[in-house]
Amino acid sequence: MPPDRARAIRRVTMIVTLLAVLSALAFMTVGVRGSWGFVLAHRGIRLAALVTVAYAIALSTVLFQTLTGNRILTPAVMGFDALFILLQTALVTTLGATATGALDPRLLFAAECLVMVGLSGLLFRLLFRGEGGNLPLVVLSGLLFGALFRSLSSFLQRIMDPNDFLVLQGRAFASFNVVDPTLIGVAALLALAATAIVLPRLSALDVLVLGRDRATGLGIDTTQLSATIFALVAVLVSASTTLVGPTTFFGLLVANLAYLMVPSARHADVLPVAIGLAVVTLVGGQMLLERVLGFGTALSIVIDFVGGVVFLFILFRTGRR
Amino acid sequence: MIEIDKISKRYGQTTVIDAVSLAIPRGGVVGIVGPNGAGKSTLLSIMSRLTKTDAGRVSIDGLDVTKAPGRELARRLSVMRQENHVAARLTVQDLVAFGRFPHNRGRPTREDTEQVATAISFVGLEAMADRFLDQLSGGQRQRAFVAMTLAQDADYALFDEPLNNLDIHHAVSMMRLFRRMGDQPGKTVVIVLHDLNVAAAYADRIIVMQDGRMVGDGPPANVINRRLLSEVFRVEGDVIDIDGRRVVSVAR
């Protein structure tokens, strides 16, 4: 790699890291009134949740896009997070609020993660069977599946017992504003475990960018690698969704910004920047909206608006080529 | 030695490869020719474990391609297929460096860097080494992928129509390159080709495919003749000898 390119990568990584740290600091300190101890503890929990989410979404999106060989699809666009919500809704509907309430939320979450890995694997197989897959078809069916899962969830929520609904609301309707604190530890642990599994496979993932056939030709067991990475993606999506709910275009936004900013296709170069950007967008954005703009809008709306525009832009550009 | 033992492949009702058996010993350049849809690409694809067979088996130096570890195979066999699109933004250098992956698992040594530079200069892309693939012409990109295969330095190199997108100058220099590869001790080059004249000029052995079957096999002088033109390619024409080399001239 020529030295100026290496330097450019280092510079981008440093700037993004710095911005991420600054956003975190600002999030903790801007506009504090009253007891510092209380405010820091309260905000610290939210910060931990947001950082975990940013990390999980950035990582899962980049991995997913490497796996599918495109830059339009993300787990969220494919409706994976909607699937997770549906799973939770179905669980509360069938077992009832009392039963689900009696279970350890961590145990429940672990079970949900497992089911998620199975179901999303099935969905993935369905959409990407055959050689390469037909991208427009996959995009459309992904969006349709997402809509289907969301509609099914809201249907179940309409017909369920009001008491069950209240329990579900506490569990499944988290957002950037209202994070669910019980599972932050578990989610962060999962994200770290996923990282530990991904790290030794980074250079193999770099090769996978060339496409399945070329990666096979270069000696990579693509079936096994895909299955491993795919399970990780499903777990990461579950972790982020349980903390803040669905985020349709957030991953797409940060992953594509990272590809744009980093003059390298190596995962070791792209992933840190994508994660940093996710933290800046989520933590910095939340801070700006809450403290500077006075809670005018929910951050998810802003992110989905900008991300949606980026999505359309990339879709049109890819379509033309 | 590549040993192909009675492989068959069907897509639905259509039989693409019909019980083909073939042995390709080490050394030299082997050309595979045949009309469109004869199963040439599928054969290559099965040989390089990218497509599964319905029946039969393929082994490389005694290793079954469906069972042997990927890394072992990647050091013995390289393959370049027709499509050369890559989603990521890679430079020529990045791409060619991937050819060393089976040897270094992503940790390049000084020797790897040298091999990459040699491969790039072999295809004449030194000046473009730091360019991104999407900034290259179709022919240049094609040569970049060939350079990646060179860097992989496998004993058997398979190419599927590597001359697509190339003008006559680059086609000839590419074939000379393959000839040089095939002349190195222990190296074998297998190429799917369209142009019979090119096959006749550069291959030591020509394999003719038609409707999923092997219908001809031997040195160009024995294989390229009027019967091949009329029965396999369904064109009338003459085969002329120029300086002991077969040249095909198709009737207008």
Side-chain angles (χ1 to χ4, degrees), chain A residues 183-204:
Chain A
L183 291 169
I184 294 174
V186 182
L189 216 64
L190 278 179
L192 283 182
T195 311
I197 298 175
V198 166
L199 275 180
R201 292 177 169 78
L202 281 183
S203 50

Side-chain angles (χ1 to χ4, degrees), chain A residues 5 209 213-214 216-217 219 265, chain B residues 49 70 81 83-84 88 94 152:
Chain A
R5 205 165 139 218
V209 166
D213 282 351
R214 287 202 199 93
T216 308
Chain B
R49 75 192 176 292
R81 294 235 274 176
E83 87 302 341
N84 55 13
D94 294 338
Q152 194 175 340

Side-chain angles (χ1 to χ4, degrees), chain A residues 9-163:
Chain A
I9 295 169
R10 244 194 335 267
R11 199 172 52 223
V12 169
T13 316
M14 264 162 60
I15 291 173
V16 171
T17 313
L18 197 69
L19 280 177
V21 172
L22 281 181
S23 334
L25 280 179
F27 184 84
M28 293 295 283
T29 54
V30 169
V32 173
R33 268 169 301 176
S35 156
W36 274 83
F38 172 74
V39 171
L40 286 186
H42 174 71
R43 288 189 185 182
I45 291 175
R46 283 191 62 205
L47 180 67
L50 290 181
V51 170
T52 307
V53 167
Y55 190 92
I57 292 182
L59 185 60
S60 64
T61 306
V62 172
L63 291 180
F64 186 82
Q65 296 195 331
T66 297
L67 217 56
T68 54
N70 78 87
R71 291 176 167 190
I72 303 170
L73 297 176
T74 68
V77 172
M78 301 291 295
F80 283 18
D81 45 8
L83 180 62
F84 186 74
I85 301 278
L86 176 60
L87 201 64
Q88 285 186 318
T89 312
L91 197 73
V92 176
T93 317
T94 45
L95 292 184
T98 16
T100 26
L103 287 169
D104 186 333
R106 275 165 300 211
L107 191 73
L108 206 59
F109 177 63
E112 283 167 347
C113 271
L114 275 182
V115 179
M116 197 45 201
V117 170
L119 279 183
S120 51
L122 210 68
L123 183 65
F124 182 73
R125 215 132 313 132
L126 202 71
L127 291 175
F128 286 91
R129 69 166 161 221
E131 317 251 309
N134 176 350
L135 190 63
L137 181 74
V138 174
V139 173
L140 276 176
S141 21
L143 289 171
L144 271 176
F145 272 117
L148 175 71
F149 298 148
R150 270 184 288 274
S151 313
L152 277 177
S153 307
S154 74
F155 172 68
L156 286 177
Q157 285 154 20
R158 256 160 238 272
I159 59 167
M160 76 186 353
D161 183 281
N163 291 321

Side-chain angles (χ1 to χ4, degrees), chain A residues 1-2 5 69-71 131 203-204 206-207 209-210 212-221 259 263-265 321, chain B residues 49-50 70-71 74 77 81 83-91 94-95 98-99 101-102 105-106 130 145 148 152:
Chain A
M1 195 182 293
R5 205 165 139 218
N70 78 87
R71 291 176 167 190
E131 317 251 309
S203 50
D206 291 341
V207 181
V209 166
L210 294 178
R212 209 159 276 232
D213 282 351
R214 287 202 199 93
T216 308
L218 290 171
I220 288 180
D221 186 344
Y259 301 138
S264 155
R321 246 193 268 139
Chain B
R49 75 192 176 292
L50 301 181
R71 192 180 173 195
L77 176 112
R81 294 235 274 176
E83 87 302 341
N84 55 13
H85 173 75
V86 170
R89 261 171 78 83
L90 296 172
T91 64
D94 294 338
L95 179 78
F98 279 129
F101 186 82
R105 306 304 280 173
D130 290 326
F145 278 103
M148 176 176 120
Q152 194 175 340

Side-chain angles (χ1 to χ4, degrees), chain B residues 8-19 42 46 52-55:
Chain B
S8 293
K9 179 74 188 173
R10 268 179 302 280
Y11 291 115
Q13 294 293 318
T14 337
T15 303
V16 193
I17 301 279
D18 192 3
T42 312
I46 291 172
K52 287 197 177 75
T53 48
D54 296 328

Side-chain angles (χ1 to χ4, degrees), chain B residues 134-176:
Chain B
D134 53 11
Q135 298 168 330
L136 302 182
S137 73
Q140 289 167 338
R141 207 174 311 150
Q142 190 92 346
R143 278 146 64 202
F145 278 103
V146 171
M148 176 176 120
T149 312
L150 283 179
Q152 194 175 340
D153 193 29
D155 296 336
Y156 304 91
L158 315 186
F159 296 92
D160 193 356
E161 300 195 11
L163 305 185
N164 281 355
N165 299 317
L166 296 185
D167 60 30
I168 191 160
H169 170 79
H170 285 114
V172 167
S173 55
M174 188 67 71
M175 286 311 296
R176 284 190 185 141

